Amino acid sequence: MKRHRALPVAAGSALALILAACGGSYHASTQSQPKSAQTFTYDTYTPVMIDGWDPATEYSNGIIAMSLMYQTLTHYNSATHQIQPELATSWSSSDNGLTWTFQLRHGVHFHTGRLVTAQAAADAIQRTIKENGGAAYIWGAVKTIDAPSQYTLVFHLKYASPLDLEASADYSAYIYDTQAAGSGGNFTKWLNTPHDAGTGPYTLQTWNSGQEFEVILKAYPGYWGGWSGAHYKRVVFRVVPQDTTAVQLLKSGQVSFIEQMSPTLWNSLKGTSGLKLVSAPSWQNLLGQLNTRALSLPVRQAISYGIDYKGMIAALSGAAIASSGIVPAGLLGHFTDLPNYSYDPAKAKSLLNAAGYGPGKKAMNLSLTYTQGDTNESIVATLMKSDLAKLNINLSVQSLSWPTQWAKGKSSTASQHQDIFMEYWWPDYADPYSWFINLLETEKTPYFNLSYYSDPTLDGMINKVEPLVATDRTAAEQLYKEMQVRILGTAPILFLYNSNYQYAMQNNFTGLQVNPGYPNVVFVYDLKPTGS
């Protein structure tokens, strides 16, 4: 989960200082909120705004709220596989892919009242680049930005890049009012007190940090899309860690939508009057990063053959589907004919025996960490422990809060590192580049590459692929395939499964479209309430 992706520690510490200076963090009562036909209540099992309120650097599950307050130049439609207008109405690129020109929508205003111009958009993107947090790498090709007229935005790139696609990213592509804090004001502090400075249909009403009714948004009256017809005028993000409690709230009409629950509980709701269930494939997958500094190639391969993937998927009762390589179906670079690992205990034993381990030989002691509170990860970890025990591998499983797990994984002390780091990943826009640049490119200091993997040849391939996406998609697709074949051969990561969304909701609204390009985001403005 990108809720597993957090800001660097320094940035998080800065946010804590800002909140302390402002006299607290907006705690409020958890009194029941009134039910209303105009209120959409989104139930999530974990806090929403854990990375701060800066649209440039937020890189966690704040996306489910920020995507309603902020907008991007373009929007990716996963149903049509097309890039659609959002704040930009049209765009074009030069033949060499080095110049991109966007024409902006006229008459759009930020929630601050300021007109959205090309210069305002340029200022936002340049600040995001400067802040260099979240997914700011999506603008990595940008050399300069010009605003030759009020609504014309021109990008000059250092190398060819699919900027129209990158501008639709689910993180760090937001356009916001950099002047919202006023002349001489501290914009970052202003955002984190908190405020929003977006263009979306909803604006911040209340933040109750640490409380059940954590984030409450209200309709922005001046939204450029207008408010004619049926719309929800209020959005509440309600944090309910216990899925059984969430279901009770759903049945009683106190929440509209549940983000996640155990597969067994989700299946038990089939046929329940007044409810609707949605199952949809995602671009999120569960990975096990193998410590390549501690585990030899034969051992990594043995572990890869020693896991019963089909049994794991069966145990998750529809919440998981088989993966092929690291790229999920629906994205450029997904192939079904890759040399994937399958459950083969005999091959696993042979590889371990050659390394001096396995049944009848020396036992191997390994450690695995996963994120506390995730029932699916817990199931997977338990099954992996059982599978590997048959190979005389003692797997020590540890459930940790995400900050603790991540700090352990990227510790400068190698003895702190785990042997298997379990986490979810998904792309920042509709392209698999995020997996490779974040998880597999060589890092001097561990950050997200928590298999500590280094392959100069793969690094070179990673550096070539995005320019090809902009200029020769066929060649880019082939390169993505070659990269995955190479990764499968060197086994730095276990590709455990691809997640399948299992949502439960009331049936008193229409218009929900699941878009894996914006994971777990419900674009509430597009919904049409049909009852009270």
Side-chain angles (χ1 to χ4, degrees):
M1 294 172 288
K2 268 208 185 79
R3 61 178 51 89
H4 291 194
R5 297 194 191 179
L7 288 173
V9 173
S13 300
L15 173 59
L17 291 173
I18 288 169
L19 292 175
C22 295
S25 56
Y26 286 73
H27 287 271
S29 168
T30 58
Q31 292 178 350
S32 295
Q33 302 293 307
K35 290 190 291 183
S36 167
Q38 291 192 321
T39 298
F40 183 88
T41 302
Y42 184 121
D43 177 281
T44 179
Y45 66 95
T46 188
V48 178
M49 300 308 303
I50 61 174
D51 263 4
W53 288 85
D54 193 331
T57 57
E58 197 284 325
Y59 204 35
S60 190
N61 57 313
I63 182 179
I64 62 176
M66 278 200 169
S67 294
L68 309 188
M69 296 181 282
Y70 292 91
Q71 295 177 301
T72 51
L73 294 176
T74 60
H75 183 85
Y76 184 79
N77 186 323
S78 61
T80 63
H81 306 288
Q82 298 295 316
I83 303 166
Q84 296 180 340
E86 193 153 281
L87 293 180
T89 56
S90 64
W91 52 90
S92 61
S93 67
S94 60
D95 290 341
N96 60 8
L98 295 177
T99 303
W100 285 82
T101 302
F102 291 80
Q103 299 299 328
L104 301 192
R105 192 177 299 277
H106 293 203
V108 177
H109 289 83
F110 293 112
H111 297 161
T112 57
R114 182 177 170 223
L115 185 69
V116 178
T117 64
Q119 187 58 57
D123 291 343
I125 295 167
Q126 287 167 337
R127 177 182 176 273
T128 296
I129 293 170
K130 182 179 179 181
E131 290 295 314
N132 194 31
Y137 75 89
I138 64 172
W139 304 111
V142 175
K143 181 169 60 176
T144 59
I145 309 175
D146 297 331
S149 69
Q150 188 174 30
Y151 292 111
T152 301
L153 188 63
V154 180
F155 295 83
H156 303 283
L157 308 187
K158 293 174 282 189
Y159 51 85
S161 194
L163 204 66
D164 55 342
L165 182 59
E166 291 160 338
S168 71
D170 50 12
Y171 295 100
S172 300
Y174 299 126
I175 304 302
Y176 52 90
D177 184 2
T178 60
Q179 297 181 16
S183 178
N186 185 320
F187 182 51
T188 302
K189 178 179 178 180
W190 182 87
L191 287 167
N192 283 317
T193 50
H195 296 91
D196 79 274
T199 63
Y202 300 94
T203 187
L204 177 64
Q205 176 178 312
T206 309
W207 179 39
N208 304 312
S209 179
Q211 302 299 311
E212 182 175 337
F213 294 93
E214 184 194 356
V215 178
I216 300 174
L217 308 181
K218 62 182 179 180
Y220 173 60
Y223 178 54
W224 59 265
W227 290 98
S228 62
H231 291 281
Y232 287 106
K233 298 298 178 64
R234 190 164 172 263
V235 185
V236 176
F237 291 92
R238 186 170 181 174
V239 182
V240 182
Q242 300 81 18
D243 54 5
T244 52
T245 303
V247 168
Q248 292 172 359
L249 294 171
L250 181 69
K251 289 180 176 179
S252 65
Q254 295 181 69
V255 301
S256 310
F257 173 93
I258 299 178
E259 175 189 12
Q260 182 175 311
M261 65 184 74
S262 73
T264 301
L265 185 55
W266 184 85
N267 279 290
S268 75
L269 296 177
K270 290 179 178 177
T272 302
S273 176
L275 301 186
K276 179 181 179 181
L277 302 182
V278 171
S279 175
S282 76
W283 291 343
Q284 171 182 308
N285 49 21
L286 185 64
L287 308 172
Q289 297 196 64
L290 299 175
N291 187 336
T292 59
R293 294 176 181 171
L295 305 175
S296 67
L297 175 58
V299 169
R300 300 197 304 270
Q301 291 174 326
I303 295 170
S304 301
Y305 281 119
I307 295 170
D308 183 359
Y309 303 95
K310 290 183 178 178
M312 180 186 303
I313 290 169
L316 291 171
S317 305
I321 56 177
S323 62
S324 179
I326 201 169
V327 182
L331 288 172
L332 178 75
H334 172 74
F335 294 91
T336 58
D337 59 346
L338 296 171
N340 295 295
Y341 290 94
S342 58
Y343 186 43
D344 192 335
K347 189 170 289 187
K349 290 175 184 178
S350 175
L351 287 162
L352 284 174
N353 285 337
Y357 297 95
K361 295 197 174 186
K362 186 168 58 174
M364 175 175 284
N365 298 312
L366 300 180
S367 61
L368 178 149
T369 63
Y370 73 92
T371 305
Q372 198 171 66
D374 191 296
T375 54
N376 288 357
E377 286 190 23
S378 177
I379 291 169
V380 170
T382 300
L383 292 174
M384 287 176 61
K385 181 180 178 72
S386 176
D387 289 339
L388 296 180
K390 300 170 187 174
L391 301 174
N392 204 17
I393 295 176
N394 301 318
L395 186 64
S396 171
V397 173
Q398 192 173 16
S399 168
L400 301 172
S401 67
W402 170 252
T404 302
Q405 183 190 8
W406 193 37
K408 178 179 175 67
K410 61 193 186 75
S411 170
S412 58
T413 304
S415 61
Q416 291 289 312
H417 297 164
Q418 69 297 310
D419 295 302
I420 306 175
F421 187 99
M422 187 184 293
E423 68 171 335
Y424 295 105
W425 202 263
W426 59 67
D428 296 316
Y429 53 96
D431 184 273
Y433 187 61
S434 174
W435 278 280
F436 298 94
I437 191 70
N438 283 298
L439 302 182
L440 290 156
E441 189 175 49
T442 301
E443 291 180 337
K444 291 182 180 179
T445 302
Y447 197 71
F448 287 133
N449 181 348
L450 300 179
S451 57
Y452 320 110
Y453 180 70
S454 179
D455 179 351
T457 299
L458 182 66
D459 292 345
M461 298 166 84
I462 292 171
N463 290 332
K464 291 177 182 177
V465 72
E466 277 302 86
L468 285 176
V469 173
T471 59
D472 189 341
R473 286 180 65 84
T474 300
E477 185 171 40
Q478 181 59 34
L479 184 53
Y480 273 133
K481 184 173 188 178
E482 293 171 9
M483 291 160 70
Q484 290 177 88
V485 170
R486 186 173 186 86
I487 292 161
L488 286 162
T490 53
I493 297 179
L494 299 169
F495 306 142
L496 298 169
Y497 64 78
N498 293 340
S499 297
N500 200 49
Y501 292 135
Q502 291 183 321
Y503 297 138
M505 63 204 74
Q506 294 183 26
N507 66 358
N508 59 0
F509 62 86
T510 61
L512 177 71
Q513 292 188 355
V514 179
N515 187 335
Y518 305 90
N520 297 313
V521 174
V522 175
F523 290 99
V524 178
Y525 177 81
D526 297 332
L527 304 181
K528 303 299 179 188
T530 58
S532 60

